[in-house]
Amino acid sequence: MHTLIETNQLALRVTELAEEVREAYGDEPLTVLGVMTGSLVLMADLIRQLDMPLRVGVMQARSYRGTATTAGDLALNLEMMPQVAGQNVLIVDDIFDTGHTLENVLAGIRQQSPISVRSLVLLSKSERHEVAIRPDFIGFHIPNEFVVGYGLDYQDHYRNLPFVAALEDHEIASHA
Ligand SMILES: O=P(O)(O)OC[C@H]1O[C@H](OP(=O)(O)OP(=O)(O)O)[C@H](O)[C@@H]1O
Ligand SMILES: Nc1nc2[nH]cnc2c(=O)[nH]1
């Protein structure tokens, strides 16, 4: 694997993203919803830099199964999520790739009658987008490589890496 984004770059950019979120919401109460499992590390770093009245919740969206590095069927589980009716909601995810996950998550949340919904992702792969929507806050635009670390997995490994790295083709094949 080769490193794409170093630990200190991640820390600096997450601090900037927190500032952008503070500018957007001011002192308004906010509900931050992390899309599990990939947003786990970003959520932990981001929410500790937000100082408005904050509620934190999680939901699960999962589309990548087994050895696949292309999207399969998407399973959404909103049962773990707090009530969002009448709330300003910020969806947080690790990566916006084809965009289908976020598009589905946004549609699911909008059905719960929030006041507003915005979205924040750490990474965006512009070359791969297949949907019309875009996240409101984006940490980094990255090339079309399969990335791991800082919450992102390959077959549930590598989420604990403190940096973002791209896997080489043979590393993906070797897990297959
Ligand atoms: O833009 P897309 O092409 O839809 O891909 C983005 C989604 O894929 C990953 O989730 P994954 O299904 O791998 O689950 P995970 O968060 O548990 O790793 C990632 O965390 C995003 O939620
Ligand atoms: N780990 C990981 N999950 C993804 N989901 C969509 N794209 C990616 C990616 O590049 N890496």
Side-chain angles (χ1 to χ4, degrees):
M1 69 174 66
H2 55 278
T3 303
L4 275 191
I5 310 173
E6 303 278 1
T7 304
N8 63 329
Q9 292 176 276
L10 288 167
L12 286 172
R13 187 67 189 119
V14 172
T15 296
E16 288 174 357
L17 286 171
E19 183 56 37
E20 291 175 32
V21 172
R22 287 209 300 268
E23 278 171 18
Y25 292 97
D27 293 330
E28 284 180 57
L30 180 62
T31 299
V32 180
L33 289 181
V35 183
M36 291 293 116
T37 304
S39 70
L40 189 65
V41 180
L42 172 61
M43 280 286 281
D45 285 346
L46 182 73
I47 62 174
R48 286 178 294 165
Q49 300 187 57
L50 298 177
D51 49 12
M52 67 280 281
L54 201 74
R55 294 163 78 230
V56 176
V58 298
M59 75 190 71
Q60 190 164 39
R62 189 130 215 209
S63 61
Y64 288 77
R65 301 271 166 217
T67 57
T69 56
T70 52
D73 288 340
L74 182 71
L76 267 194
N77 181 356
L78 307 186
E79 279 171 19
M80 294 172 288
M81 203 178 77
Q83 286 285 336
V84 297
Q87 310 288 321
N88 291 307
V89 175
L90 178 66
I91 309 289
V92 173
D93 208 353
D94 51 355
I95 189 164
F96 185 73
D97 187 319
T98 64
H100 291 293
T101 300
L102 189 60
E103 185 174 62
N104 280 283
V105 167
L106 288 171
I109 297 300
R110 288 209 171 94
Q111 284 178 0
Q112 319 274 322
S113 310
I115 298 176
S116 71
V117 191
R118 286 188 175 103
S119 56
L120 180 153
V121 297
L122 182 72
L123 308 172
S124 173
K125 273 191 212 173
S126 327
E127 287 171 50
R128 298 242 316 156
H129 300 342
E130 294 176 359
V131 297
I133 58 144
R134 296 290 179 265
D136 298 280
F137 308 94
I138 297 174
F140 298 90
H141 294 273
I142 60 165
N144 184 12
E145 295 185 274
F146 193 81
V147 289
V148 296
Y150 198 75
L152 291 128
D153 75 308
Y154 177 60
Q155 293 191 282
D156 289 322
H157 289 279
Y158 306 118
R159 293 195 199 272
N160 55 316
L161 295 179
F163 50 85
V164 172
L167 292 185
E168 315 299 343
D169 288 347
H170 72 269
E171 290 173 302
I172 294 172
S174 73
H175 282 259

